[in-house]
Amino acid sequence: AQCFEFPLPCYSSPISFSFINHLVDFSYVGIDAILEQMRRKAMKQGFELNIMVVGQSGLGKSTLMNTLFKSKVSRKSVLATSQEKIPKTIEIKSISHDIEEKGVRMKLTVIDTPGFGDQINNENCWQPIMKFINDQYEAYLQEEININRKKRIPDSRVHCCIYFIPPTGHCLRPLDVEFMKRLSKVVNIVPVIAKADTLTLEERDFFKKKIREELRSNGIDVYPQKEFDEDAEDRMINEKIREMIPFAVVGSDQEYQVNGRRLLGRKTKWGTIEVENIAHCEFAYLRDLLIRTHMQNIKDITSSIHYEMYRVRRLNESNTAVTQANGIPEHHLSAHEM
Amino acid sequence: MQEPQQQHQDHGGHEADRENEGQDHPHTPSYLRPPVAGRAQSDSGSEPSLTQSKCVEFDLPSPVSPSRPKSPWSLFDPYDNNEDKEYVGFATLPNQVHRKSVKKGFDFTLMVAGESGLGKSTLVNSLFLTDLYKDRKLLNAEERITQTVEITKHTVDIEEKGVKLKLTIVDTPGFGDAIDNTECWKSVADYIDQQFEQYFRDESGLNRKNIQDNRVHCCLYFISPFGHGLRPLDVEFMKALHEKVNIVPVLAKADTLTPTEVQKKKIKIREEIEQYGIKIYQFPDCDSDEDEEFKQQDLELKESIPFAVIGSNTVVEAKGKRVRGRLYPWGIVEVENSAHCDFVKLRNMLVRTHMQDLKDVTRETHYENYRAQCIQSMTRMVVKERNRNKLTRESGTDFPIPMGPAVSESETEKLIREKDEEDIMQTVPETLINKVKKQFLC
């Protein structure tokens, strides 16, 4: 049953019965109904999303999460800590919430990393984070190779890591480069310029250009990665995004009255910064990217590329550990292997 | 930082922006809109009729390319009015998921089994409006004596409203045709197992990017209308396969039966299915929050098993009406008339309502059973090998070698072996998978 219609020959014959041996008329089988079936199933099951936020303390990570999801989902809102103490080592704190909108249910997990980049000596501060990410892959792998598998393996893998760049206005710091270089190989990194209300538009554009150059020259592939564009359509959309990252964001969970409307913003003596106004900051772009258009894509890349790479590496590892037959040392798989 | 003079301008710009945002496709991500005020019309590509009714067919957001084909996703955008500002926005997730599936397309493998001449090919052609069998040659009786049961595959790509389906029909010519039909289902069972095995290999392998799913999602088993219910061959076949594939029994050539006869046969067949412990495909139960109509339909569906079907590839005309059917001197049997047969019910079930569930059950139940059994038998071999090595003190390989018939073991030996297997299965599933992998990939 193809999607075109043949004009039917007119058969008004005086004979009551006649044969036509061509299935042109009733050519609708109803295959598109499978979309509805899938949709119902998806709605029933709900979705999962795990976002990690990384950056020095005071860059507005928790506030940004709250702003993104319009509710108190961050660690700070959930754990009642009156003091803001910088922990001595990097901690990984996961908080999960079930949120629902228009019938779609989502289990959102925000993974915070207090202590990152705050020490005097920040050597290897990315290690606990990498370990956490790999641990999640490992947990998923174990479930997957289990003999009696769950119908739906709980997904705790980090889908997206938002990296907060302090708004220095100059260029990336060595810590930023080192972190992103390593982590971009195992997780989707979305860099953002934090607290962007300290930059003028010119300063912002200059900073962004500089950052993009540095990312390029250091071979850091942030999301959306060029090599994972599926087709021309994706490429077109993603190119536009790549020309705009990192998004310069401002977060807020306070509402102010502006021109008769209540908006999220930051009120200062010289004006009110409206978080969702794209003339003021790029929060709306970040939100649209992460939530409204690319959320599924972010999850897909995590599961079909980052996770698969981890899996291959692990399977090869245990292979050589078990047999040691051929004496070939474990080779490091490059990011382009698959 | 904003200077005081700019304050009003900024607000002005902000106002225009808001207005335009309101008029636009609320779903369009902001970075794809040109950041200039007053361009509501030039927003090419997104549906111009957006602000109208809800159930319009939608373009997925991409204002940059005006010539994009229409999306088959014709459910309305969850954020179809200006209050979308209040929402976070993730209710578009189902749309995002399905966009990908639509791009990829779907696949479905249907097996048809039953004796020759029960109308299997015609029914398949009628169901999917294809002509898969036009070049086949029917064998005569002598040729059929030496025929064994073949397994043939036909694949056809169907597209409707932008949705692509790769349909594979697995046929079993020769089934039940010989004089001695003992174990004629074996090749069918083997075929199904082979597909599972192939999938298991692929899934355990290193490169999982483009795994082809050839597992059989549903088996239509044709029951002859000429008997008194199930025949021994029917029972044996279904029992051999009910734990490998979703069996949907079908009462073939139902136009040889009157309505009463059909009812009686259905009841008899259902009783026998229960009596012999045959596990046919079960329709999932309705949720309590489904509407009444849906529940009613679901109930009717469950009570129609086995589906009494009639197939036809020809369109006949009667009194100005054109129908697909079979022309007899005493009247016309209309295939798509639910008073005449259950064809519509079967097609709706197979294609429009339960296709996804059939695939899910195959994947979550039948395949998982196969996989668990497979791993278990591998474990068994590993344990045996280990024990053999212990006895002979040879440094044998870890590699499970298929062995000859096992030496008979005592009760205690059996318990020890089972305990070993359990231990292995719990502690080292991973190395086991490696062995599986090695065995398959060598």
Side-chain angles (χ1 to χ4, degrees):
Chain A
Q2 312 257 298
C3 240
F4 37 87
E5 281 158 44
F6 296 122
L8 283 175
C10 205
Y11 257 81
S12 57
S13 114
I15 312 168
S16 321
F17 308 121
S18 48
F19 291 100
I20 302 166
N21 218 349
H22 224 336
L23 296 168
V24 290
D25 222 357
F26 320 101
S27 54
Y28 178 65
V29 177
I31 290 166
D32 53 320
I34 194 162
L35 291 181
E36 177 61 27
Q37 295 174 44
M38 283 185 68
R39 175 168 237 267
R40 289 175 126 220
K41 181 181 167 202
M43 300 280 278
K44 260 202 214 175
Q45 274 180 350
F47 298 87
E48 290 167 301
L49 183 70
N50 307 319
I51 300 189
M52 178 184 265
V53 285
V54 180
Q56 285 175 312
S57 66
L59 284 182
K61 304 190 290 292
S62 306
T63 310
L64 188 71
M65 282 294 112
N66 287 352
T67 319
L68 264 179
F69 292 99
K70 291 202 203 275
S71 38
K72 309 258 185 229
V73 294
S74 70
R75 163 187 60 98
K76 297 226 175 119
S77 317
V78 170
L79 310 170
T81 41
S82 47
Q83 305 179 14
E84 300 295 342
K85 274 185 68 171
I86 293 182
K88 289 271 161 54
T89 53
I90 300 172
E91 301 172 343
I92 312 267
K93 292 218 161 82
S94 261
I95 310 242
S96 292
H97 290 265
D98 284 315
I99 50 184
E100 188 204 319
E101 200 166 273
K102 302 233 183 205
V104 177
R105 286 174 300 116
M106 182 158 83
K107 175 161 174 259
L108 170 72
T109 304
V110 178
I111 303 150
D112 206 340
T113 54
F116 175 85
D118 286 332
Q119 316 305 327
I120 295 175
N121 182 358
N122 287 309
E123 266 313 299
N124 296 329
C125 65
W126 47 83
Q127 264 175 13
I129 297 175
M130 279 199 73
K131 179 172 186 307
F132 179 83
I133 293 176
N134 285 331
D135 283 348
Q136 306 317 306
Y137 289 149
E138 181 65 29
Y140 195 88
L141 180 66
Q142 288 301 326
E143 275 295 333
E144 209 182 31
I145 60 181
N146 216 351
I147 293 173
N148 291 315
R149 307 197 282 200
K150 299 204 179 84
K151 210 187 265 203
R152 219 184 143 218
I153 301 179
D155 191 359
S156 65
R157 299 173 292 191
V158 178
H159 298 125
C160 168
C161 172
I162 305 182
Y163 187 75
F164 285 69
I165 299 171
T168 60
H170 300 312
C171 57
L172 289 175
R173 301 166 303 157
L175 176 62
D176 302 333
V177 173
E178 281 308 306
F179 180 87
M180 287 199 276
K181 208 187 235 178
R182 289 154 205 281
L183 276 267
S184 59
K185 297 200 160 49
V186 295
V187 73
N188 294 320
I189 297 212
V190 175
V192 296
I193 299 175
K195 299 207 160 169
D197 51 343
T198 60
L199 298 170
T200 64
L201 295 185
E202 294 85 12
E203 288 167 350
R204 181 213 288 182
D205 284 339
F206 174 79
F207 193 25
K208 287 216 260 183
K209 232 166 61 180
K210 201 78 198 346
I211 292 177
R212 284 198 293 270
E213 269 169 32
E214 286 191 297
L215 289 177
R216 226 183 342 256
S217 59
N218 281 292
I220 301 175
D221 266 326
V222 298
Y223 183 82
Q225 299 93 332
K226 210 174 209 152
E227 57 184 308
F228 305 142
D229 285 338
E230 283 179 12
D231 52 34
E233 189 186 310
D234 277 352
R235 203 167 311 134
M236 204 151 47
I237 299 178
N238 291 345
E239 271 305 318
K240 280 205 160 306
I241 299 172
R242 285 190 278 266
E243 283 162 20
M244 294 201 293
I245 53 167
F247 292 127
V249 295
V250 174
S252 166
D253 41 21
Q254 307 258 358
E255 284 186 336
Y256 292 100
Q257 197 87 0
V258 177
N259 283 354
R261 306 165 70 144
R262 290 199 66 78
L263 303 168
L264 286 175
R266 289 173 61 71
K267 192 168 182 161
T268 63
K269 287 261 163 30
W270 46 90
T272 304
I273 303 147
E274 295 155 39
V275 166
E276 281 170 329
N277 183 343
I278 51 176
H280 290 194
C281 78
E282 296 177 321
F283 169 79
Y285 292 163
L286 177 71
R287 179 203 52 209
D288 284 350
L289 176 75
L290 277 187
I291 298 178
R292 293 191 189 184
T293 55
H294 283 66
M295 188 186 265
Q296 188 56 39
N297 184 245
I298 286 174
K299 293 174 69 174
D300 287 341
I301 297 203
T302 305
S303 70
S304 62
I305 298 182
H306 294 300
Y307 170 70
E308 288 296 313
M309 267 177 32
Y310 177 84
R311 179 175 173 272
V312 170
R313 204 159 50 220
R314 277 290 276 126
L315 291 185
N316 279 337
E317 267 174 27
S318 42
N319 228 0
T320 52
V322 166
T323 59
Q324 309 214 332
N326 42 25
I328 300 173
E330 182 198 336
H331 53 278
H332 292 281
L333 296 162
S334 70
H336 307 273
E337 184 95 18
M338 295 178 81
Chain B
M1 211 47 232
Q2 292 146 8
E3 290 156 11
Q5 299 100 296
Q6 283 183 352
Q7 191 168 11
H8 290 291
Q9 265 173 5
D10 276 355
H11 279 288
H14 149 76
E15 276 295 281
D17 209 54
R18 287 233 168 241
E19 265 166 21
N20 288 326
E21 278 176 343
Q23 279 168 25
D24 278 342
H25 192 334
H27 191 60
T28 311
S30 33
Y31 49 77
L32 290 179
R33 301 186 215 136
V36 175
R39 71 294 186 252
Q41 258 130 30
S42 66
D43 212 321
S44 53
S46 52
E47 278 295 308
S49 55
L50 214 310
T51 47
Q52 290 167 16
S53 60
K54 294 189 180 179
C55 294
V56 183
E57 273 197 52
F58 269 100
D59 226 343
L60 289 171
S62 177
V64 289
S65 76
S67 56
R68 275 193 63 220
K70 264 188 193 276
S71 155
W73 191 249
S74 53
L75 289 173
F76 63 88
D77 184 7
Y79 306 105
D80 63 352
N81 51 37
N82 294 339
E83 41 165 287
D84 77 328
K85 279 300 169 191
E86 305 299 312
Y87 290 102
V88 175
F90 60 84
T92 57
L93 255 184
N95 290 11
Q96 292 179 42
V97 173
H98 302 145
R99 181 164 178 243
K100 183 143 198 226
S101 309
V102 167
K103 268 200 207 176
K104 247 186 3 178
F106 300 91
D107 57 46
F108 190 70
T109 304
L110 177 69
M111 176 182 269
V112 286
E115 292 175 358
S116 309
L118 283 181
K120 301 191 294 294
S121 321
T122 311
L123 186 70
V124 165
N125 283 343
S126 311
L127 275 175
F128 297 100
L129 300 176
T130 55
D131 209 355
L132 291 175
Y133 295 93
K134 65 174 172 275
D135 292 324
R136 80 173 168 168
K137 186 167 95 67
L138 289 169
L139 301 175
N140 60 30
E142 291 126 334
E143 288 168 320
R144 283 188 202 181
I145 286 182
T146 49
Q147 265 273 337
T148 48
V149 180
E150 275 179 69
I151 308 282
T152 62
K153 256 170 68 166
H154 299 267
T155 307
V156 63
D157 287 313
I158 307 179
E159 180 170 343
E160 263 183 9
K161 298 196 179 170
V163 179
K164 295 191 278 274
L165 177 72
K166 176 161 163 269
L167 176 71
T168 306
I169 306 285
V170 178
D171 206 343
T172 55
F175 177 86
D177 282 349
I179 296 174
D180 180 4
N181 288 310
T182 314
E183 300 229 321
C184 65
W185 52 84
K186 193 153 186 321
S187 50
V188 179
D190 285 346
Y191 176 84
I192 295 178
D193 279 343
Q194 271 165 32
Q195 306 316 304
F196 282 155
E197 184 186 312
Q198 181 65 46
Y199 194 84
F200 185 30
R201 274 189 221 200
D202 289 345
E203 197 187 37
S204 310
L206 289 180
N207 189 348
R208 310 201 294 183
K209 220 162 195 190
N210 291 317
I211 300 185
Q212 267 236 339
D213 186 3
N214 292 322
R215 298 175 290 188
V216 180
H217 299 123
C218 178
C219 175
L220 289 183
Y221 185 71
F222 285 67
I223 300 170
S224 165
F226 307 121
H228 290 289
L230 294 179
R231 290 196 276 199
L233 180 60
D234 300 334
V235 175
E236 285 311 304
F237 178 91
M238 289 199 274
K239 286 195 75 167
L241 293 201
H242 63 172
E243 281 174 348
K244 293 190 199 287
V245 70
N246 295 318
I247 296 189
V248 174
V250 152
L251 188 55
K253 293 203 165 174
D255 53 348
T256 61
L257 303 168
T258 65
T260 336
E261 288 168 349
V262 165
Q263 264 315 102
K264 271 182 28 196
K265 275 223 166 46
K266 283 192 183 185
I267 294 176
K268 182 116 204 303
I269 292 176
R270 280 206 291 269
E271 275 171 14
E272 289 178 330
I273 286 179
E274 177 129 4
Q275 182 191 342
Y276 290 107
I278 299 171
K279 299 187 221 148
I280 56 174
Y281 169 67
Q282 296 295 329
F283 301 111
D285 291 320
C286 268
D287 291 329
S288 51
D289 59 349
E290 300 284 5
D291 55 34
E292 274 312 308
E293 194 195 323
F294 192 85
K295 284 190 189 166
Q296 182 60 26
Q297 277 180 2
D298 191 63
L299 198 61
E300 276 176 26
L301 205 62
K302 289 182 175 154
E303 291 180 350
S304 305
I305 296 281
F307 294 109
V309 292
I310 302 165
S312 169
N313 283 345
T314 54
V315 175
V316 301
E317 184 168 335
K319 299 184 189 131
K321 223 173 53 150
R322 300 163 52 82
V323 292
R324 280 199 291 145
R326 293 172 61 72
L327 171 66
Y328 291 110
W330 48 88
I332 296 189
V333 178
E334 295 165 38
V335 164
E336 280 167 339
N337 185 338
S338 342
H340 290 194
C341 71
D342 293 331
F343 174 82
V344 172
K345 285 213 184 73
L346 174 65
R347 180 190 59 197
N348 285 353
M349 187 275 294
L350 209 50
V351 177
R352 298 186 194 177
T353 53
H354 287 73
M355 189 181 265
Q356 187 60 39
D357 189 59
L358 284 165
K359 293 171 74 169
D360 288 342
V361 174
T362 304
R363 196 185 56 227
E364 292 162 7
T365 309
H366 300 299
Y367 172 71
E368 289 295 315
N369 283 345
Y370 172 84
R371 181 178 172 273
Q373 273 171 25
C374 210
I375 296 183
Q376 208 160 24
S377 58
M378 300 257 154
T379 323
R380 208 155 280 163
M381 290 202 276
V382 170
V383 171
K384 281 210 179 93
E385 189 60 30
R386 213 175 265 203
N387 289 341
R388 248 198 6 193
N389 291 343
K390 276 194 221 152
L391 287 162
T392 63
R393 285 174 187 263
E394 268 182 78
S395 60
T397 60
D398 280 355
F399 199 88
I401 302 165
M403 299 194 307
V407 177
S408 60
E409 43 183 9
S410 68
E411 247 333 287
T412 22
E413 280 178 346
K414 180 158 180 265
L415 284 170
I416 297 176
R417 170 174 65 76
E418 281 175 351
K419 184 69 184 43
D420 271 346
E421 286 174 15
E422 237 180 76
D423 284 340
I424 290 192
M425 289 216 280
Q426 258 148 31
T427 56
V428 212
E430 187 180 312
T431 35
L432 217 48
I433 291 298
N434 283 330
K435 294 182 203 315
V436 166
K437 194 176 43 134
K438 270 183 4 200
Q439 179 166 34
F440 285 146
L441 298 181
C442 275

